[in-house]
Structures are given as C-alpha cells and as structure tokens.
Amino acid sequence: MILALALSLAAPDFQSVAALDTIVTQFTGKEIGEQGGAIAPIDRRLKLASCAAPQLEWRSDTHDAVVVRCMAPAWKIFVPVAAVPRPKVATPAPMPANVVVRPPVAVKAEPVIKRGDAVTVEAGAAGFSISRQGVAMNDAPPGGRISVKIDDKQPPLQAIAIEPGRARLPGFAEGS
C-alpha cells in the first residue's frame, strides 16, 4: 500500500488528451471524423506535461491542421483536420501559341497649344488676376507643361496648358 502511494506521488502529472480532443472540437466547430473536424482522436499514448491554458490556432489559411500549444511547460502538437474543400478560383484559359500579346499602347493626348501659337498666360487669386501675351516655345496637351516666351530679353515662363491659346502659371488655380 505504501509502495502504491509512493508511486502515485512520484508519477508526473500528464495533460489529458481527451480534454485536448474536446477543445480541438470546440475550436473547429466540428466533431472528430467530420469534414472540418479533427481526422482522428489525439493518440492516447502521448504523454504531455499538464498545461493550465492550452492555446489553439490554425496552422495555415487552408485550415488543414490545428496547432495546440502550451507556453509553460513548453510543448506543441499538430492535430490534422479534414479540411473543407474550397472552391477553386477560375484560371484563365491558356492562350494559343500563335497569339502574340502586346503591351497596351499609351494614347498620346493631342496638343491644345502648338509651338509658335499666341498664348495668354494667366495668374490670379481671390481679388486679382493678371495675364500676359506670349508665344509658345513647344507643343503641350491639356495639363501639360509649356514654355512661353513673353519678352525677348527674359527667359521663357513655364506654364500649364489649359485650352487653345490659354495657359496658367503653376500654383494658381484655374478660374481664380
């Protein structure tokens, strides 16, 4: 009798694998053997140190296994799950070998102001506006940069093309 008591006191305390099966079932929401649940019960021969708070998480996004982890004492096991089949994403049909794929061609906007055109350059804010006449030094689409020569003695101004014959200085809102 004393020998049995001594052996029971010396025997280490192991984690109940039946309790682990229960928390895995709760985690997956499916019974053992069901689609989405554990494939089989955890092996009863497994001897894990007792854990007060086992943590569970999916091994991956495919939900093919549950990771049961204990922080103290440290151990972890993987419980295989009968993963629920996910619908396959339709893949485009392969192209025939004789088809040549070309990158899209950028459509170049037509210039609204062309080199040599007379241009009115405007600037303004609430309460004032100013404009000057000049000559375009290059072509520009709407919103594009353009150099405008105002005076032969000064370098050209940089402006933004708005419409034919009209540009504004950068930093000044249109319609000010």
Side-chain angles (χ1 to χ4, degrees):
M1 173 118 165
I2 295 176
L3 182 60
L5 181 61
L7 286 176
S8 68
L9 291 176
D13 191 21
F14 294 112
Q15 177 66 46
S16 164
V17 290
L20 292 178
D21 280 336
T22 302
I23 63 172
V24 168
T25 299
Q26 291 171 348
F27 181 78
T28 62
K30 299 292 182 177
E31 293 296 322
I32 295 172
E34 287 183 18
Q35 192 76 30
I39 292 174
I42 297 172
D43 190 342
R44 302 291 180 240
R45 297 172 293 178
L46 194 58
K47 302 294 182 203
L48 299 168
S50 184
C51 184
Q55 299 172 353
L56 286 82
E57 63 186 352
W58 290 109
R59 182 178 71 101
S60 69
D61 290 338
T62 60
H63 292 195
D64 61 347
V66 174
V67 179
V68 182
R69 176 187 328 255
C70 186
M71 296 306 208
W75 55 260
K76 92 174 147 180
I77 61 170
F78 296 84
V79 180
V81 170
V84 177
R86 296 179 184 236
K88 291 187 176 185
V89 176
T91 56
M95 288 201 173
N98 62 348
V99 173
V100 177
V101 178
R102 293 192 174 129
V105 177
V107 178
K108 190 173 180 180
E110 289 297 316
V112 292
I113 299 175
K114 294 187 177 185
R115 181 183 176 140
D117 286 353
V119 179
T120 301
V121 179
E122 305 167 349
F128 88 95
S129 70
I130 186 170
S131 63
R132 293 282 312 254
Q133 293 292 324
V135 177
M137 303 300 288
N138 59 291
D139 296 351
R145 293 283 180 148
I146 187 167
S147 294
V148 180
K149 185 76 165 170
I150 303 290
D151 184 356
D152 289 334
K153 298 176 186 162
Q154 299 293 321
L157 295 175
Q158 293 295 311
I160 299 171
I162 299 172
E163 58 188 29
R166 190 168 158 234
R168 67 177 153 73
L169 291 179
F172 291 94
E174 186 175 355
S176 299

